[in-house]
């Protein structure tokens, strides 16, 4: 007996090799090309649920263990679906659910209640041991820079910090603000490589604890501090020579972009430089993916540059450099997922099987967004006036060469304390 999911997959999967086994037997979809992906379902209701609302229920059914990928993995299945055309498979139910989510997302964007700290806590205040299962030695939880290709995850994360620092151009004794300081790796790199005074701010109490512990062990207390602080509430009298923000902008939301850049302009010295590193997508989204919104990053929003640049212009800041990194996050996510899956038993021990599947789906789905949906990372270099940065990009390579020399003598990073 064919379920409604069989009908949906029959409309979608024209290219590829998909085998689905459930209570109604085995069904094959596609033209047989490529590596085979095979799914097993425990019950007919799970299949029907996915057909009714695939945007959310696919992830939830996978989390519940009612769908298993027995050949290939969950990334392979998501990628196979994305290789095919989805529009002709849309049902009335999918359309009205999508419209309802769009309306709900627009309402949430304009609500006056600030849930920033709660949203950050939902993700970043998970056990530090969880992140230790898949991040590199410096706990960099943002896109690495695989330049040159083939380097390790740790080397690529160091290259990311080097690349950003080269664009930031910190000078000895300058004051630097990091908005969204994570577990402290970027701030420590800047403090040690350039002899600058760094303030890192975060809304995560767990990240604050870890970053303070790390900085203390490296003897950086005199030039590096971390605070539990919302950037919007920093005093107007505070001025910084440099501002850097890596992987935080995705939590700001489009209704607050103008406020974000106006605050940055207020805090930045007249001769200052700001570097913003964020995930982007090719056009403005109507709503955040419902699985990501519900389970992973509540309140998160991946912008298009067309939404960001008008807010930059209205703030009075000048765009001095834009760089697009199309595939580096796909490589990063692939490395994270490999490490996470290799530590499956430890992840289940920290939480449970459902949590493990949820995060596996999150990492796979995020990777697929970069490989099949043209997501990318953008880096903006901003100033308040002209003439602050050189008029060619040669200085970036020169600064990276200097920083590479520093890295050769930098003391190794210590194990994070939990």
């Amino acid at each position: 007996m064919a379920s409604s999911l069989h009908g949906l997959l029959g409309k979608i999967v024209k290219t590829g090799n998909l085998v689905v086994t459930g209570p109604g037997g085995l069904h094959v979809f596609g033209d047989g090309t490529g590596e085979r992906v095979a799914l097993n379902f425990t019950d007919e209701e799970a299949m029907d649920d996915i057909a009714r609302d695939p945007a959310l229920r696919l992830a939830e059914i996978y989390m519940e263990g009612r769908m298993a990928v027995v050949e290939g993995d969950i990334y392979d299945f998501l990628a196979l679906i994305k290789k095919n055309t989805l529009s002709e498979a849309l049902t009335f139910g999918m359309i009205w659910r999508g419209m309802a989510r769009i309306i709900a997302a627009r309402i949430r964007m304009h609500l006056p209640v600030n849930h920033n700290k709660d949203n950050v806590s939902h993700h970043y205040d998970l056990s530090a041991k969880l992140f230790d299962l898949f991040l590199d030695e410096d706990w960099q939880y943002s896109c690495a820079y695989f330049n040159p290709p083939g380097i390790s995850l740790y080397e690529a994360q160091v290259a990311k910090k080097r690349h950003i620092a080269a664009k930031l151009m910190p000078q000895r004794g300058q004051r630097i603000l990091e908005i969204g300081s994570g577990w402290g790796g970027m701030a420590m790199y800047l403090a040690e490589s350039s002899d600058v005074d760094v303030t890192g701010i975060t809304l995560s109490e767990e990240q604050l604890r870890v970053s303070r512990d790390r900085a203390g062990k490296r003897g950086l207390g005199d030039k590096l501090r971390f605070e539990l602080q919302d950037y919007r509430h920093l005093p107007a009298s505070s001025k910084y020579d440099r501002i850097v923000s890596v992987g935080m902008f995705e939590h700001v939301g489009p209704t607050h972009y103008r406020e974000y850049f106006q605050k940055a302009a207020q805090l930045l010295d007249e001769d200052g430089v700001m570097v913003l590193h964020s995930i982007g997508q090719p056009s403005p989204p109507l709503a955040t993916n419902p699985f990501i919104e519900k389970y992973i990053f509540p309140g998160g929003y991946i912008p298009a540059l067309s939404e960001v640049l008008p807010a930059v212009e209205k703030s009075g800041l000048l765009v001095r450099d834009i760089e697009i990194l199309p595939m580096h996050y796909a490589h990063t996510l692939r490395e994270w997922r490999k490490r996470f899956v290799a530590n499956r038993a430890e992840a289940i021990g920290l939480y449970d099987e459902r949590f493990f599947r949820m995060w596996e789906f999150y990492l796979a789905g995020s990777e697929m967004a970069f490989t099949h949906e043209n997501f990318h990372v953008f880096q903006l270099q901003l100033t308040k006036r002209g003439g602050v940065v050189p008029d060619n990009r040669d200085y970036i390579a020169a600064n990276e060469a200097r920083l590479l020399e520093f890295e050769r003598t930098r003391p190794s990073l210590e194990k994070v304390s939990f």
Side-chain angles (χ1 to χ4, degrees):
M1 175 180 167
S3 78
S4 53
L5 180 61
H6 294 135
L8 179 64
L9 290 173
K11 292 178 181 178
I12 295 173
V13 184
K14 306 299 184 184
T15 301
N17 187 356
L18 176 65
V19 177
V20 175
T21 303
L26 182 149
H27 292 73
V28 179
F29 304 91
D31 59 3
T33 59
E35 294 295 321
R36 187 161 78 165
V37 177
L39 310 179
N40 283 359
F41 284 89
T42 61
D43 59 280
E44 197 83 21
E45 185 181 356
M47 302 173 76
D48 291 336
D49 278 355
I50 293 175
R52 279 192 291 270
D53 186 12
L56 179 61
R57 290 299 285 155
L58 173 63
E60 291 182 330
I61 294 297
Y62 184 74
M63 288 160 54
E64 293 163 9
R66 297 163 70 191
M67 180 187 93
V69 185
V70 294
E71 289 188 51
D73 58 28
I74 189 62
Y75 169 83
D76 296 326
F77 173 62
L78 296 175
L80 185 151
I81 295 297
K82 282 296 179 181
K83 286 177 185 175
N84 289 272
T85 302
L86 306 182
S87 57
E88 62 187 53
L90 291 175
T91 65
F92 176 76
M94 292 179 202
I95 293 170
W96 77 255
R97 283 189 184 88
M99 293 298 297
R101 284 168 179 148
I102 291 168
I103 293 169
R106 297 294 138 175
I107 292 173
R108 283 195 300 271
M109 284 180 190
H110 292 89
L111 287 176
V113 179
N114 174 21
H115 294 291
N116 283 3
K117 192 173 186 307
D118 291 340
N119 291 340
V120 167
S121 178
H122 176 90
H123 191 91
Y124 296 100
D125 283 341
L126 293 168
S127 170
K129 294 180 181 179
L130 170 69
F131 295 97
D132 196 43
L133 296 180
F134 66 94
L135 296 182
D136 70 294
E137 293 88 325
D138 195 28
W139 281 31
Q140 290 294 294
Y141 194 32
S142 58
C143 177
Y145 185 47
F146 287 84
N147 186 27
I151 59 178
S152 70
L153 176 62
Y154 174 72
E155 291 168 328
Q157 290 292 11
V158 174
K160 182 266 301 291
K161 289 174 284 187
R162 185 191 315 133
H163 196 54
I164 291 172
K167 294 180 180 182
L168 202 62
M169 302 185 303
Q171 306 297 316
R172 177 172 293 179
Q174 287 185 331
R175 298 186 68 213
I176 296 182
L177 171 68
E178 183 178 13
I179 301 175
S181 51
W183 289 282
M186 188 77 220
M188 292 194 302
Y189 183 91
L190 291 168
E192 293 182 348
S193 66
S194 305
D195 194 20
V196 289
D197 182 271
V198 187
T199 299
I201 59 174
T202 179
L203 292 177
S204 166
E205 295 184 10
E206 183 71 359
Q207 288 186 332
L208 179 70
R209 180 189 68 78
V210 171
S211 56
R212 283 178 170 175
D213 180 66
R214 298 181 74 200
K217 287 182 176 178
R218 294 184 75 81
L220 294 172
D222 59 333
K223 55 184 177 183
L224 174 58
R225 70 209 52 82
F226 295 100
E227 304 294 341
L228 195 68
Q229 174 76 58
D230 190 317
Y231 72 94
R232 296 175 299 179
H233 302 147
L234 288 168
S237 57
S238 299
K239 294 293 179 184
Y240 297 91
D241 303 290
R242 302 288 187 266
I243 298 176
V244 63
S245 185
V246 181
M248 173 271 177
F249 191 69
E250 298 88 335
H251 302 283
V252 172
T255 57
H256 300 289
Y257 289 164
R258 188 168 180 177
E259 178 186 12
Y260 176 90
F261 289 110
Q262 285 176 338
K263 188 65 179 181
Q266 180 188 78
L267 297 170
L268 191 63
D269 184 78
E270 289 301 311
D271 294 324
V273 178
M274 177 176 180
V275 174
L276 172 66
H277 169 116
S278 172
I279 303 172
Q281 53 183 310
S283 59
L286 296 174
T288 298
N289 175 277
F291 162 71
I292 295 293
E293 169 67 32
K294 182 175 180 179
Y295 292 100
I296 307 299
F297 290 116
Y301 183 92
I302 306 300
L305 272 172
S306 59
E307 298 175 285
V308 177
L309 294 179
V312 174
E313 294 168 0
K314 289 181 173 66
S315 73
L317 292 169
L318 303 173
V319 178
R320 302 288 80 178
D321 188 270
I322 300 178
E323 183 174 9
I324 303 297
L325 306 176
M327 289 298 292
H328 290 271
Y329 219 153
H331 304 323
T332 305
L333 286 155
R334 173 61 61 99
E335 289 299 314
W336 287 348
R337 184 163 60 89
K338 283 166 55 178
R339 290 169 173 230
F340 186 68
V341 171
N343 289 305
R344 175 190 181 112
E346 290 83 351
I348 293 173
L350 283 171
Y351 290 98
D352 55 28
E353 177 78 27
R354 184 176 185 274
F355 182 92
F356 170 81
R357 286 172 166 268
M358 177 175 72
W359 267 62
E360 183 190 15
F361 193 98
Y362 148 58
L363 293 171
S366 298
E367 181 185 348
M368 186 273 301
F370 288 91
T371 56
H372 289 78
E373 295 182 341
N374 294 314
F375 277 49
H376 55 268
V377 166
F378 62 82
Q379 292 182 350
L380 300 183
Q381 184 193 58
L382 310 172
T383 66
K384 294 181 78 169
R385 66 174 186 83
V388 174
V389 300
D391 60 2
N392 61 69
R393 303 184 90 247
D394 296 345
Y395 73 94
I396 298 176
N399 288 344
E400 287 186 316
R402 176 187 66 81
L403 291 165
L404 195 57
E405 288 300 314
F406 149 75
E407 291 164 16
R408 291 192 177 105
T409 60
R410 187 188 186 194
S412 60
L413 296 165
E414 297 181 28
K415 179 72 176 176
V416 173
S417 298
F418 298 119

